[in-house]
């Protein structure tokens, strides 16, 4: 393609590598021309060159000065996201930023303001909206098959808990894990969350409890359109990554089951056995990671709005903060209460 | 069987007829010898005689005096349940009583006390415990397949709402409909509910709202063993009676899907189509109604405890009352709070 | 019902008992008034009286003389079927006869002629046509969902082989087992079989081979309407009774899966496990046995043709004989070839 | 990888392009260095350069002379396959050849001899062995879950028929379409086919009949190990590409269902609807095309035998020829009969 979108990647950790390889191999309409990583080393450079990335650097400032670069993809550590968003916005680059933008609402707001002031596109990495199953459910709603949405149910369980050390700095289960589900809930409801109530327990790993968090949680939701919802999270489903969504409405209900590695059922003397769900997010959301990036490239090329905006990131964060407070104070908490406290 | 259990039935409405026919045709170890119904008429008498029931009457008092009758099955209107339980207990009859025993905790307690004082068995009609799907889930828990129970999820939706006039006297969605699900939750968790929080909405029928009730509700649960749970109810699922249970634990998760009238899938140009769930409780719980009665007869014959006790009925009622209060007062409510207020 | 159909049962073995209990408990529009069994004894009499059957006898001749009896249900041993059909026809009774009518075509023809001459209804016990799954497939064809039928596929496997001693007198796998599937194939195709080709092997039990039979067989079918079909049989499916049908046509395909005892799936560390199919024909076709009898009673009451006629029985037998010859002579065999050899 | 396998591609039609893109983007251990296509043009050159292919040509002779090329991938028209196999073998290149090698047994034998004489690897493009579902079934057999294989059932239906003009030169349904299923049957049975019997009909398109072929066929199989099998083919399944395999044995049965684009079920007033199978082979076998090429590269790198050999291609062809003769002559045909006629 003559006019492919030229990208810089910031951060070549696990998720940065996935985006870089997806763009290089699967998205011909974009080209990565630069890679910045604070830990840049010869091995990383070799990997980058293998992908056809010409320029590598430690500090993304150099990338910002390159007028040929249209957009940046921020995959560095969370604490750097907001600064890089602001830096990129001021340099006039469109921005794809992994979630979360920051754990501080103030910094998130600053980043959003920078992007808005610079009139650049800002897409946040809530990749599950691009999942083939969940996208199909949303399409059923848009097509009118579901009618007025009344109940949104989300099951979201990880195959194994992170180390307690990670939990301690993660912001807690609602900001770290359920935030994806808040985004999914808002996406599927087609409406904003107005109030949450959270219950939680430490049932998986006592260390998580010692770190001040829970590992099992259920949160009920109220939406502005009158619908209600519920999300359940566990840090450990022994059978793998359990990711299901159900949307129930006046005309019907759409339900997505998990994806499996194959469809074989083995009929034996002791029962019928099939495969467990795909193991974790890299397997399950493999195509969603590609499709979110295609969507980002498209919104730049076509001048349309990003599919997941910075405001979505902020709303998801409010929901997570409300759930955190609800669990702590044992009462329902409105989003408005959280929003007001950050004005 | 030489020594079959001899039964009297009180009330020959829809559910009374189902129990009578089940006992007559499917449970050879029991025999119905008397039927009482306040509206006894020649047609009902003919039906009873067709089933081989010898004696019919309007007032069950006569039944209570017959020393050959071992037990009574109370299927009359809710407001008469407690009185008939007490009457039967005082007559030394074992008792199967349809749910709810009463809408007043005091009357329920009086009924339970009468049964206890008379040392007769009292089983309450929470038939879903006997469902082939839900029973299989519980068996997986008992067999250790699930490990420590961590999350109980129950979906329970009716195919069509009752008339608003019924809703007005029903005690509300929690006492009328979700009470079955509270029982299922306690059964599956193997633990008592300690706290509930309810959200609800009027999304199906504004008349239900005018009657002071909601038609869509989600309730989160905390259990004494640390597990958490959630129940969602809707008065109207356009695709029929949606009855699913999922129990998640440290070793795995057991999930029951709905029952279907047949397994055929039709592969056509526009997709693949299968049957909706069985329409309503008479179809879905057809066998559970039989099996709960078999269980009742068995507990008499073998002198064992009933599978669903009067205390279960009371606990389910506390949960329903707590949910009702939670919805009204917009706060989590403990079972202890309800229990204390009825001492 | 004032004018219920009055029935006599001949033979109170396993299948006779099932029909008798189904009629007594589930089919109020019919009444069994007499039971004949060559082995009549006090225990059988007691069982009959328990069902409300007034008259018991060893020899069904007495039954034939009773003008109040509308129809007989023949469940005696196969070698007596044809004689009892003729006897009942001559007595002017409608007839339900278990399959097969006889292993000799000549005797079958004689029985059919007797029924025709006497102008009585004759229904043969090919119960699977009344199965909820297979009936639904046929309905899809009738409704036009399948379009022109092109391929009929039937899987039919038993959970355990019969003893070799039984196999030796059974007429072989095609007459004893696959005959049900030939009936299903004709039913689903809506067309007669014109030619078959059979392959078979002894893979389950060498004793079956010594008895001159095979235990595993696949038969291809050609139908008069141009459709083709295939049936596979095994005498032993370790996971239980495998009974599936698929009908493929110009507008789509309808596929029935097995019935399961419950819908629960257990998600564990080693995979996802569900139930095996219902064990054998008594479990799987429980309702079909009732529904075929309802259909028989209905055809008498309404004066309509039986759903499965004596001619169906004969056609199924021709197909089985053709398959037997095909396997032996290693060539395709037309139904016409078999028919001609029995003129 | 320092020493990646260097490949030349012959033929850049649909399947050649798929292989080239898969190798370029998904298989880092191989590198395409040359592309030959009889219709080479600037557009094709541009596409090749975009993939990093340095050298393009019309005649593959030039490719054969390049000593740096380890192997060729033959994707040209069928009539050129055998000649290119021989040319490549004589040049000492390993060979991946799309199926069929040729429609003439003599030419196939000549190609196989050339590869054998030159001691180069020859893999044939029977890609379905690499399918995730069918591979899982085979693994169940290898793991002993199925026990002794007794029945192999294959359903294989295309979404739309090819034009009659194609059918006329295709060699017929058995050589053109069912040959994939013969390969699958041999793969799953773990045994060679010894005899086939074919029935067929023209039910989809009369033009196919005029071209001397059938569009609907069922073939029974006998295997050397005593197992039996059946394959059904249709040129047109209105619901898409229907690709299912079932292997039944003494210890159980493994069954693969179709792959779907997503797992969503829509529960509505008129039933429950889900997706049709993936549309056609490009969608369904997308990953199998990659995995067969990975397997080919691996067998070169590791010096092991190809997963699908030239002999497999010949055996599949014998089965197809036997089926063709069986349909024409209306009799079962042994593979030995075909083999002998080509000695």
């Amino acid at each position: 393609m003559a006019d492919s979108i030229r990208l810089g990647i910031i951060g070549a950790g696990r998720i940065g590598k996935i985006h870089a390889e997806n763009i290089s191999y699967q998205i011909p309409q974009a080209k990565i021309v630069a890679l910045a990583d604070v830990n840049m080393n010869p091995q990383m450079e070799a990997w980058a060159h293998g992908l056809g990335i010409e320029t590598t650097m430690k500090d993304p400032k150099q990338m910002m000065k390159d007028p040929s670069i249209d957009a940046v993809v921020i995959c560095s550590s969370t604490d750097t996201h907001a600064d890089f968003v602001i830096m990129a916005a001021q340099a006039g680059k469109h921005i794809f930023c992994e979630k979360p933008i920051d754990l501080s609402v103030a910094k998130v707001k600053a980043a959003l303001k920078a992007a808005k002031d610079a009139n650049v596109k800002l897409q946040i990495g809530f990749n599950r909206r691009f999942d083939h199953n969940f996208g199909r459910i949303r399409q059923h709603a848009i097509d009118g098959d579901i009618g007025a949405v009344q109940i949104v149910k989300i099951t979201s369980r990880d195959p194994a808990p992170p180390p307690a050390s990670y939990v301690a700095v993660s912001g807690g289960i609602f900001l770290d894990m359920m935030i994806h589900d808040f985004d999914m809930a808002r996406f599927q409801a087609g409406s904003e969350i107005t109030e949450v109530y959270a219950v939680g327990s430490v049932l998986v790993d006592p260390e998580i409890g010692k770190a001040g968090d829970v590992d099992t949680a259920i949160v009920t939701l109220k939406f502005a359109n009158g619908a209600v919802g519920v999300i359940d999270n566990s840090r450990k489903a022994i059978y793998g990554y359990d990711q299901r969504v159900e949307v129930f409405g006046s005309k019907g209900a759409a339900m997505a089951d998990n994806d499996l590695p194959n469809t074989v059922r083995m009929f034996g003397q002791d029962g019928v056995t099939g495969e467990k769900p795909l193991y974790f997010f890299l397997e399950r959301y493999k195509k969603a990671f590609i499709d979110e990036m295609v969507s980002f490239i498209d919104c730049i090329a076509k001048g349309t709005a990003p599919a997941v905006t910075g405001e979505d990131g902020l709303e998801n964060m409010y929901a997570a903060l409300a759930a955190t407070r609800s669990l702590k104070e044992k009462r329902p908490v409105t989003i408005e209460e959280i929003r007001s406290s950050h004005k």
Side-chain angles (χ1 to χ4, degrees), chain A:
Chain A
M1 186 179 283
D3 301 288
S4 70
I5 304 292
R6 294 170 62 85
L7 299 172
I9 307 264
I10 304 175
R14 186 169 61 175
I15 192 68
K17 282 198 167 121
I18 286 168
H19 285 312
E21 295 180 354
N22 285 342
I23 294 163
S24 299
Y25 293 146
Q26 313 267 359
I27 309 180
Q29 60 271 37
K31 183 169 170 51
I32 309 171
V33 295
L35 171 74
D37 191 291
V38 68
N39 298 311
M40 184 60 62
N41 58 35
Q43 191 183 9
M44 204 182 281
E45 280 171 357
W47 168 81
H49 295 154
L51 290 181
I53 302 173
E54 295 150 15
T55 314
T56 60
M57 63 197 78
K58 287 204 170 190
D59 189 329
K61 268 180 201 149
Q62 180 188 341
M63 188 186 288
M64 302 299 175
K65 292 175 192 156
D66 181 347
S68 83
I69 290 179
D70 299 301
V72 297
V73 176
I74 303 174
C75 310
S76 50
S77 64
T78 296
D79 59 314
T80 66
H81 285 182
D83 288 344
F84 289 151
V85 167
I86 292 166
M87 189 189 294
Q90 290 171 349
K93 313 294 187 204
H94 299 298
I95 304 158
F96 178 97
C97 183
E98 270 305 320
K99 59 134 292 238
I101 305 176
D102 200 275
L103 293 180
S104 141
V105 170
K107 290 195 73 172
V108 172
K109 285 186 166 181
L112 265 59
K113 183 172 186 304
K116 194 177 178 188
D117 289 351
N119 199 23
V120 296
K121 295 178 191 306
L122 172 59
Q123 181 172 326
I124 312 301
F126 286 102
N127 58 300
R128 295 185 195 173
R129 292 194 183 202
F130 300 91
D131 177 68
H132 56 156
N133 294 338
F134 305 152
R136 185 71 189 91
I137 291 183
R138 181 63 188 144
Q139 194 58 46
H140 274 304
I142 290 168
D143 292 348
D145 299 334
I146 295 174
V149 172
Q150 297 174 342
I151 301 175
V152 175
K153 289 181 71 171
I154 298 173
T155 298
S156 178
R157 302 167 188 160
D158 283 355
S165 59
Y166 170 86
V167 168
V169 300
S170 70
I173 195 168
F174 302 114
L175 274 161
D176 180 57
M177 181 174 170
M178 200 180 279
I179 197 164
H180 269 295
D181 306 305
F182 289 124
D183 188 65
M184 182 56 56
R186 295 172 53 249
F187 174 60
Q188 295 291 358
S191 180
E192 291 298 338
I193 298 168
T194 56
E195 188 177 300
V196 306
Y197 175 74
V199 294
S201 241
V202 180
L203 301 171
V204 171
D205 181 358
E207 293 300 315
I208 291 176
K210 287 179 195 164
D213 201 3
V214 295
D215 50 36
T216 307
I218 302 181
V219 172
T220 54
L221 312 169
K222 288 185 185 177
F223 296 96
N225 63 3
V228 289
V230 63
I231 299 167
D232 76 89
N233 273 188
S234 168
R235 286 287 193 181
K236 182 175 181 183
I238 203 167
Y239 53 87
Y241 196 44
D242 193 348
Q243 297 281 297
R244 286 171 289 151
V245 169
E246 174 178 335
V247 179
F248 172 87
S250 56
K251 289 194 179 166
M255 307 183 193
D257 212 332
N258 284 298
D259 283 341
L260 308 180
N262 61 65
T263 65
V264 176
R265 290 178 298 162
M266 179 71 222
F267 290 69
Q269 193 159 18
D270 299 326
V272 179
T273 308
E275 297 285 346
K276 294 184 290 183
L278 291 174
Y279 180 66
F280 208 175
F281 67 97
L282 293 181
E283 293 82 13
R284 167 56 187 271
Y285 293 119
K286 188 174 180 178
K287 186 147 189 305
F289 282 118
I290 298 171
D291 288 349
E292 72 170 348
M293 199 53 66
V294 168
S295 175
F296 175 60
I297 302 298
D298 270 8
C299 84
I300 298 173
K302 298 178 180 162
T304 53
V308 194
T309 65
E311 283 69 29
D312 284 315
L314 188 58
E315 285 296 322
N316 298 339
M317 197 173 171
Y318 286 153
L321 291 169
T324 306
R325 188 176 292 179
S326 173
L327 184 72
K328 192 176 170 193
E329 301 186 1
K330 299 181 189 301
R331 63 177 178 90
V333 173
T334 64
I335 301 302
E336 189 50 38
E337 176 183 330
I338 301 295
R339 189 191 313 274
S340 306
S341 71
H342 286 97
K343 266 180 186 157

